[in-house]
């Protein structure tokens, strides 16, 4: 449910951008490394918005994956140390050192 609520503003911004872009049919000259071309301003804005959005998702997705893997490793370490502690306390109880 939180994800749906988080996506609603993003969808609204995207729709607003499309509405503004459709009203702007001005052609602009765009120089890129190899050549140049004449493109619609709304097309360029949409392209750069989409590219930035995908790049942002990629970067934060990789960061999220790294954190999840780190969390899994730390949980495994905690479980292993908990088992060792339980075994140590059990052996202390058996030997009467408590």
């Amino acid at each position: 449910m939180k994800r749906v609520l988080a996506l609603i503003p993003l969808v609204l911004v995207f729709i607003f951008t499309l509405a503004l872009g459709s009203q702007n049919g001005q052609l602009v000259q765009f120089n890129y490394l190899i050549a140049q071309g004449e493109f619609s301003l709304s097309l360029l804005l949409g392209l750069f918005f989409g590219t930035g959005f995908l790049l942002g998702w990629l970067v934060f997705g990789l960061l999220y994956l790294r954190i999840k893997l780190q969390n899994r490793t730390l949980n495994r370490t905690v479980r292993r140390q908990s088992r060792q502690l339980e075994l140590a306390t059990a052996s202390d109880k058996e030997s009467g050192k408590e």
Side-chain angles (χ1 to χ4, degrees):
M1 184 66 181
K2 286 182 182 180
R3 290 182 185 180
V4 173
L5 290 176
L7 284 177
I8 288 174
L10 181 65
V11 169
L12 290 175
V13 167
F14 187 69
I15 290 172
F16 182 70
T17 305
L18 284 176
L20 285 178
S22 67
Q23 298 298 317
N24 193 352
Q26 185 178 7
L27 292 177
V28 292
Q29 218 173 29
F30 183 67
N31 295 323
Y32 43 99
L33 291 175
I34 301 170
Q36 72 181 30
E38 200 164 292
F39 300 99
S40 159
L41 184 60
S42 60
L43 174 71
L44 285 176
L45 288 174
L47 239 161
F48 286 119
F49 178 77
T51 303
F53 182 76
L54 290 176
L55 186 62
W57 270 96
L58 178 70
V59 167
F60 288 110
L62 290 174
L63 290 174
Y64 181 76
L65 181 64
R66 191 182 97 197
I67 297 263
K68 289 297 260 185
L69 291 175
Q70 185 178 17
N71 191 18
R72 183 182 297 167
T73 304
L74 290 173
N75 282 336
R76 191 177 303 132
T77 304
V78 166
R79 274 188 267 127
R80 182 174 38 90
Q81 290 177 347
S82 294
R83 273 188 265 130
Q84 288 175 349
L85 184 61
E86 288 172 3
L87 290 175
T89 55
S91 67
D92 286 346
K93 284 182 183 178
E94 289 176 4
S95 64
K97 289 183 181 178
E98 191 180 340

